[in-house]
Structure formats: structure tokens, C-alpha cells
Amino acid sequence: MNREHAIDGLRGLAALVVVVSHFLCAFYPATDTLLLKDMRVNGLEATLSQTPFNLLYNGNFAVCVFFVISGYVLSASFFASHQQETIYSSAYRRYFRLMIPVLATSFFYYLFITQDWFVSKYIPPVSDSPWMQKMWNVEPAPWHFIKSTLYDLVVHPEIEPLYNPALWSIGIELKGSYLVYIFLLCMGNHRFRWMGYVGLILLTLKTYYVLFISGIVLSDVFHRKKLYRLSTGQLLILLVIVCYVGSYKYTDTTNLWHALDGLRGIVKPQAIGAVCLFYICLQSGLAARIMTTQAVNFLGKISYSLYLIHLLVIGSLSGIVFKLFVEQLAWSYVMASGATFVITLGVSFILAKVCTQWIDDKGVAFTKRLYGKVFR
């Protein structure tokens, strides 16, 4: 089984969860707010969101999975070869690898804002979504766009991105990546690197960066063939834990997760779920087979572009299509939103495929050529 393809598949499924999460925030806002005024189907969405079912559209959990994957993948080449050249090459290319697609796709968000094409904000009842009301409230200007995309995103990740709000994770991803490189350069081959792991985990426990360190640890033990093998029963128990802690949602309206409220001040429960899920994927042959199916493999290939481009569709085409179904065809809210979701996914997949081919893949090739010309 190709473990790299399985990990790509997991990344693809995580990207799909983010898309579903944002679509529901727009069309079924109670899945996020749990408020009566935001309910669309007699409270069903709020009820489901207070159960582990929300794991299927828990965007924060999906992003935690991204970070664990990054820690694992960025260190895998080093632990396979123990050559520091792999670190230098990856570290040099990392900024360009992430930011070329970010800049290219963000330009379309800038264009849509200038032309007022994010019409979903004005189509009721989607326009009543608290999440949608916060989107794209910016006066576009070329210099502000460049500063927000290339500078604030990296230097000030605490500032919410105004053009493509999904980019909030990119600054963390970039800094987490270089945390991985620095650790590997300093302690990657050191016999006492386990002390470094423990120290960094304790230092970053309350942050997303602990996920990158967890990914390094998993990569280290996996490549040294010392990953503890779990039985089928143990894997099932771990999967139950993933469903419980990974679906965590802080709320006063249910007792389901109250046992985790104290843990929330120490470490993100979703982070624990993400690490456990990745561990399952490293161990389980069934999980690996699922992650390498043709459909999931396709999602893995387009995952980064899908993450970057999907809000463009939700903010524009989704609203237009939904309005057409409701006003022209007189469909019910559930029926219209369901059909809109299918179209949103289809168009997002097509655009992500195009972006992967013409932006992401070419950006990767460019960074490799650039590194070769500068250092070889």
C-alpha cells in the first residue's frame, strides 16, 4: 500500500470537510451558532451539531488534521534518508510552495470584491447567516490586497484575512513548517531528540503548533519501524475517541462534551482527535485502502486548490443557484439547498482541478527549478 497516497487521501477528505463546513455555515448557520434564530429545519441541524455527527463538517478538526499531516510529510524525507540536504531544499521552497497558489487564487477574490460578485451576501435567508455577514467586508485596494496577502498573512496570522477568509491557517502552516525544519536541523539526528519532542510539545500544547511536533514524532517512529501496532479492537476504541474528542464543540446547551471543557484550557480536544486519526491511518489497512480509492485520491490531488478556491463558489454561484431554485422553481429550502450543495461541490472540484494543474503544479515545478539554479 502506498502510504504517501493514503496520506494525500486523508488530506483530500479533510479539505472536503472544510468545504462542507463553510457551506453549512452559509445555508444552515445553526450548525455553527446553535441559535434558535439561525435554524432552518426545525432545529435538526443544531441537534446534529451537538453530537459526534458534526465530525463530518467540523472545519477546525479538519485543519488540525492538515497540521499533523504537514509535520509528518515535511519530516518524512529526512527520516528516510537522514540527509540534511532534504531539509534545506524543502525549507527554501516552502514559502513559494504555499504562497504562489495563495497569491494567484486571492487575486480572484480581490476581483470578485471589486465587482461586487459575492452576491450570496445579499440573498435571503443566506444573507442572515452570521458567518456570511462577516465575509468580504473590505474596501479593496491594490496595496492593501498585497499587504494583506503576502505580509499580514505570514507576519500577523492573528489578523483575519479579509479577501479569502479560509487563509487564516496559512500563516500557522508556514510558521509550523519552519518549526519542523529548525527542530530537524538542531535535533533530528540527535540520540536525545525525544527530550526535544517532550519539551516542544509542552511549550506548544495550547497552540496548533503542537500538531506539527506530533506529526514529526509519528514520522520518526514510523520510519524507524517502532510504531506501536494496535489490534483491531484497539483501533476501534481509538476511532471512538476520535469521534468524541474530534467533534468537540464548546456549548452550554449539551452535556456531551462537558467532560472535555477543562481539557480545553490545556490542549485543543480536536488536536487530540486529529493525532489519533492520523495514527489510525498509519496502522489500519482498511483506512489505507479507503484513502487510496480513486475518488479520494482525486480529492487528495486537488486538496490545496480546493481549500483555497471553494469560498469563491459559495460566495457567488451558490447564492445565485439557490435563488433560482427557490424563486423560479418554487423548491423547498431543504431541496434547493441540497441541489445547490451538489452544484457547489461539482464546480469547486472543477475549478480546483484547473487551479491544481495551472497554478499549484506549475508553482511546485517553478520552485524546484529555482532551487536548482540557486544552489546547484
Side-chain angles (χ1 to χ4, degrees):
M1 188 67 65
N2 191 320
R3 190 66 57 178
E4 182 179 341
H5 287 170
I7 293 172
D8 280 343
L10 178 61
R11 185 189 288 113
L13 288 178
L16 180 60
V17 168
V18 171
V19 177
V20 175
S21 169
H22 286 153
F23 184 88
L24 291 178
C25 282
F27 287 85
Y28 292 91
T31 57
D32 179 47
T33 67
L34 304 180
L35 297 177
L36 181 64
K37 68 180 183 65
D38 295 326
M39 295 180 184
R40 302 286 187 260
V41 284
N42 300 320
L44 177 62
E45 63 268 49
T47 301
L48 291 177
S49 295
Q50 296 176 74
T51 72
F53 183 81
N54 87 67
L55 196 70
L56 299 177
Y57 51 88
N58 192 316
N60 189 264
F61 172 73
V63 171
C64 288
V65 173
F66 287 148
F67 293 153
V68 179
I69 292 174
S70 292
Y72 180 94
V73 171
L74 293 177
S75 58
S77 295
F78 172 77
F79 286 124
S81 65
H82 292 281
Q83 298 295 318
Q84 289 192 340
E85 169 63 22
T86 62
I87 303 173
Y88 295 131
S89 172
S90 183
Y92 177 81
R93 293 183 283 116
R94 189 61 173 169
Y95 177 83
F96 301 102
R97 165 70 184 92
L98 293 175
M99 297 307 294
I100 288 176
V102 163
L103 183 61
T105 55
S106 292
F107 172 76
F108 292 104
Y109 286 86
Y110 172 78
L111 177 64
F112 272 47
I113 293 174
T114 60
Q115 300 302 314
D116 202 22
W117 287 343
F118 284 120
V119 296
S120 296
K121 289 175 61 71
Y122 312 118
I123 296 175
V126 181
S127 57
D128 294 334
S129 163
W131 177 82
M132 186 63 77
Q133 290 173 359
K134 295 188 297 183
M135 304 290 278
W136 305 299
N137 298 319
V138 57
E139 288 294 330
W143 171 245
H144 181 264
F145 164 70
I146 294 173
K147 177 178 179 294
S148 175
T149 305
L150 296 181
Y151 178 77
D152 290 341
L153 199 64
V154 177
V155 180
H156 300 295
E158 71 280 2
I159 299 177
E160 184 175 352
L162 297 176
Y163 294 90
N164 181 359
L167 296 182
W168 69 269
S169 66
I170 299 300
I172 298 173
E173 175 70 35
L174 195 60
K175 290 184 177 181
S177 298
Y178 284 99
L179 176 63
V180 171
Y181 298 137
I182 291 171
F183 179 86
L184 292 177
L185 285 173
C186 294
M187 299 196 69
N189 283 322
H190 201 286
R191 61 182 297 191
F192 295 118
R193 61 185 177 280
W194 303 104
M195 296 175 63
Y197 290 145
V198 173
L200 267 182
I201 286 174
L202 291 176
L203 285 173
T204 61
L205 198 57
K206 293 182 179 181
T207 72
Y208 287 109
Y209 298 109
V210 70
L211 294 160
F212 292 88
I213 306 304
S214 300
I216 303 176
V217 175
L218 289 172
S219 180
D220 193 350
V221 296
F222 180 81
H223 286 88
R224 293 173 67 236
K225 302 186 185 305
K226 292 191 175 182
L227 194 69
Y228 180 73
R229 304 298 300 180
L230 298 177
S231 66
T232 301
Q234 290 172 323
L235 285 173
L236 289 174
I237 292 173
L238 196 59
L239 182 60
V240 171
I241 293 174
V242 169
C243 293
Y244 179 58
V245 298
S247 63
Y248 175 80
K249 193 174 185 69
Y250 181 70
T251 171
D252 293 328
T253 61
T254 177
N255 291 321
L256 178 64
W257 294 293
H258 281 182
L260 299 177
D261 287 344
L263 180 65
R264 189 170 68 104
I266 302 173
V267 62
K268 300 177 186 298
Q270 297 93 332
I272 297 175
V275 173
C276 291
L277 178 62
F278 192 81
Y279 193 93
I280 291 173
C281 290
L282 288 178
Q283 293 254 354
S284 171
L286 175 60
R289 286 192 292 273
I290 293 173
M291 299 303 168
T292 52
T293 58
Q294 187 174 359
V296 177
N297 187 250
F298 170 75
L299 284 175
K301 291 179 179 177
I302 67 169
S303 58
Y304 190 39
S305 294
L306 181 63
Y307 184 80
L308 296 178
I309 208 75
H310 71 279
L311 287 181
L312 205 67
V313 181
I314 293 175
S316 57
L317 179 65
S318 298
I320 295 172
V321 171
F322 174 78
K323 184 178 181 180
L324 173 66
F325 287 147
V326 171
E327 295 185 357
Q328 301 300 320
L329 302 181
W331 285 5
S332 68
Y333 189 92
V334 173
M335 194 172 176
S337 61
T340 300
F341 175 69
V342 173
I343 294 173
T344 298
L345 278 187
V347 174
S348 297
F349 289 164
I350 293 171
L351 291 178
K353 173 65 175 175
V354 172
C355 287
T356 298
Q357 182 177 352
W358 292 101
I359 298 174
D360 197 8
D361 289 349
K362 291 187 182 300
V364 171
F366 169 77
T367 58
K368 288 182 177 178
R369 289 197 302 271
L370 185 63
Y371 179 79
K373 289 180 179 180
V374 173
F375 294 98
R376 294 180 181 175

